[in-house]
Amino acid sequence: MRQRKRNRDHASYLADAMFYWISTLVSIDAGMAVLLQACGIIAIQWTAIVGLAVCAAVSWTVYILHKRYLFPETYTLHASAFLGICLLLFFCLYNPQEFSGLWTVFILYPFYLSFFYDRAVLFMWGAASYLLYAFSLDWGKSGVFSMDDFFHLTLAAASAICTWIGYCSLQKRMGEARAATEEHNREYAITLLNTLVPIVERKTQTSSREIEQMSRLIKRMLREFPQEQVSDWEIKLLSLLHYVSRIKFPDYVFETDEKLTAFEYQIIQEHCQFGYEMFRDEPAFARVVRALQDHHERFDGSGYPKKLKGNDIILLAQILGIVESFLAMTTTRTYRQTATIEEAFEEICTMAGTTFDEKVVKAFVKSVQIHSPTRVSNVPPMVG
C-alpha cells in the first residue's frame, strides 16, 4: 500500500482525530486497569486486561492505516465513517470488561459525524449506527414493550435531535465562514492584480482603460445568457487577469515592428495559464481561471492550448475570446493597419460557426452598437 496524501481539510483532521482519541482512551483504560490491579485497589481478571490491550493495539493499527496508508486514490469520508463503525462494533462484540452499556457509543457516534459537515455521511452512517444500537437492545424478545425500551427509544431520539441541531448550526457557521473567506480572497486577488496594472502599463505601453472596456462588453453579452449567473466580481477579476497576464511576455515583443515569430507566438500563448498559476487552489475562482485558460480555444477545434471543440468550451471563455478579438482588431498594431469598428464587426460575424459559436456571435451583435465608421485608435490594445 502506498502512503496516502490528501489535503488536510477540516473533515480530514476530524477523521484522523477520531481514531487517535479512541486509541488514546482505550490505551489509558488498559494502563489504568494494569495500575489498579498492581496496586491491589480493585480486582480485575487478567483476561480482561489482556483484552483491553488487544483493543488498544487494534485501535492504533486502525489509526495508523487510516492516517497514512488507506486507499490513497479513493479516500473519502465514507471510508472513515465505515472504519469508525467497524472499530466500535469490534469493541462492543469483544467487550473484554463485559460492560453492558457499551453499545450506547452508537447513539453518540452520529453526533460526532455531524462535525464532518457532510450530509450524505451523516445520514448513511448515522442511520447504520442507530440500527446497530437498536439490534443490541433485543426489542420484542420479552413480547412486551417495557419502560427500558421506552427509555432507550427516547435516548436515541434525543441523540438524533441533538445531532441534527449540531449539523444545522455547523452548516450555518461554516457557510458564513466560507462566504467571509471567499470575499476576503476576492478582495485580496483584485488588490494584488491592481498593484500589477501600472507595471503592465509601462511594460506594454498600453492603457489600463481596456480593463473597464472589456468588463463592460462582457457584461453586455452576458445579458443575453441570464442562465449563466456570472457575478460582477468574476467579470472584473477576469478582465484584470487577462490584462495583467501580459506581464509574462518578453519586453521586446512590444517593441518589434514585425510580425511575431512562431517561438514568440508560443511564448505569448502561455498567458492563458496565468490565472491557473496564481489561483488554481481557490475553488471560487475556478470559472474565471478556466475562462482565461480556454479563451483561445476555437469552436471548430483549431484553437489552443487543449484543442477543445464546440460545447466543451465554457460560455465565459467564448465571450472573452470574442471580446478580445474585437478589441485587438480595432487597436493600433505596428505590423498591421487598424480595422474600423464596422470592419471588425463584419470580420467577427464571418467567424460564426467556425471560430466562435453562433449564439455567442449573435449576443455580440446585440451588444455592440456601431455609430460611425471612424477608426478607434484610442481603444486600448489587446495583446495575445
Side-chain angles (χ1 to χ4, degrees):
M1 292 185 292
R2 287 181 290 172
Q3 182 172 340
R4 170 167 57 90
K5 295 180 181 179
R6 67 171 186 269
N7 293 329
R8 307 300 297 162
D9 56 12
H10 162 80
S12 299
Y13 274 117
L14 275 179
D16 284 338
M18 174 178 67
F19 293 106
Y20 173 80
W21 287 110
I22 287 176
S23 304
T24 300
L25 290 173
V26 175
S27 299
I28 291 174
D29 191 20
M32 289 297 296
V34 172
L35 181 62
L36 293 174
Q37 174 70 8
C39 295
I41 298 176
I42 59 175
I44 304 175
Q45 293 183 356
W46 284 104
T47 54
I49 296 176
V50 172
L52 285 173
V54 171
C55 289
V58 170
S59 300
W60 285 111
T61 300
V62 171
Y63 167 69
I64 293 172
L65 289 175
H66 177 270
K67 184 176 178 62
R68 299 181 63 85
Y69 297 105
L70 180 66
F71 309 128
E73 291 83 13
T74 59
Y75 170 78
T76 65
L77 287 178
H78 289 280
S80 297
F82 172 72
L83 274 179
I85 278 191
C86 290
L87 186 60
L88 295 178
L89 185 60
F90 169 76
F91 292 157
C92 292
L93 293 175
Y94 187 41
N95 198 3
Q97 292 182 309
E98 298 181 355
F99 178 53
S100 59
L102 190 57
W103 288 87
T104 55
V105 296
F106 284 112
I107 60 175
L108 298 176
Y109 187 59
F111 185 73
Y112 187 84
L113 291 178
S114 68
F115 290 96
F116 283 0
Y117 193 57
D118 190 303
R119 182 175 297 185
V121 169
L122 177 61
F123 282 177
M124 180 181 297
W125 300 108
S129 185
Y130 286 128
L131 285 174
L132 288 172
Y133 177 69
F135 290 149
S136 72
L137 301 177
D138 293 328
W139 283 348
K141 188 174 182 180
S142 61
V144 180
F145 188 77
S146 64
M147 281 300 297
D148 284 343
D149 294 334
F150 178 76
F151 170 77
H152 289 299
L153 183 62
T154 303
L155 194 62
S159 170
I161 292 172
C162 291
T163 297
W164 183 248
I165 292 174
Y167 172 78
C168 292
S169 299
L170 180 65
Q171 186 180 44
K172 181 180 178 181
R173 289 187 176 275
M174 290 286 284
E176 293 172 352
R178 184 185 295 110
T181 300
E182 289 179 355
E183 182 178 0
H184 171 76
N185 291 342
R186 289 198 298 267
E187 293 176 355
Y188 174 78
I190 290 174
T191 301
L192 174 63
L193 292 174
N194 275 322
T195 61
L196 297 175
V197 167
I199 300 174
V200 176
E201 280 189 298
R202 291 193 297 268
K203 179 185 178 77
T204 63
Q205 301 178 9
T206 62
S207 171
S208 61
R209 289 179 299 170
E210 173 192 328
I211 300 170
E212 181 60 31
Q213 190 174 23
M214 177 172 281
S215 296
R216 200 162 51 240
L217 190 49
I218 290 175
K219 194 176 295 185
R220 284 182 190 173
M221 291 183 65
L222 281 170
R223 290 173 187 166
E224 305 299 322
F225 305 96
Q227 73 279 4
E228 281 300 301
Q229 298 296 316
V230 179
S231 303
D232 288 345
W233 70 263
E234 290 180 285
I235 298 173
K236 183 177 182 180
L237 180 62
L238 180 58
S239 301
L240 267 170
L241 267 176
H242 186 274
Y243 183 80
V244 174
S245 66
R246 301 172 192 170
I247 203 170
K248 293 172 66 73
F249 299 168
D251 291 345
Y252 67 83
V253 169
F254 304 99
E255 300 172 357
T256 180
D257 294 334
E258 301 177 356
K259 282 193 174 183
L260 301 177
T261 65
F263 176 72
E264 292 167 342
Y265 187 63
Q266 184 178 359
I267 294 177
I268 285 181
Q269 290 180 5
E270 294 178 1
H271 86 113
C272 296
Q273 301 300 324
F274 184 74
Y276 177 79
E277 292 167 357
M278 292 195 65
F279 303 121
R280 59 186 169 191
D281 295 326
E282 182 55 56
F285 298 168
R287 178 160 55 177
V288 173
V289 169
R290 186 177 174 188
L292 186 64
Q293 278 186 305
D294 298 346
H295 77 283
H296 280 300
E297 301 288 353
R298 295 298 176 245
F299 194 71
D300 59 3
S302 62
Y304 64 84
K306 305 173 188 175
K307 300 295 183 182
L308 298 180
K309 186 177 182 179
N311 293 329
D312 291 336
I313 311 169
I314 64 170
L315 179 64
L316 191 58
Q318 296 187 59
I319 290 176
L320 177 60
I322 206 170
V323 170
E324 177 194 53
S325 297
F326 177 71
L327 294 180
M329 281 188 273
T330 54
T331 300
T332 302
R333 291 290 190 270
T334 57
Y335 52 83
R336 62 164 169 78
Q337 187 178 13
T338 304
T340 64
I341 291 179
E342 289 82 358
E343 290 170 344
F345 182 86
E346 293 174 2
E347 179 68 19
I348 289 176
C349 288
T350 62
M351 299 179 185
T354 54
T355 302
F356 304 116
D357 190 350
E358 290 184 3
K359 64 183 179 182
V360 181
V361 174
K362 289 179 181 178
F364 170 77
V365 170
K366 292 181 180 179
S367 302
V368 176
Q369 299 177 0
I370 302 177
H371 301 291
S372 66
T374 55
R375 296 184 180 276
V376 284
S377 57
N378 61 325
V379 178
M382 174 69 64
V383 181

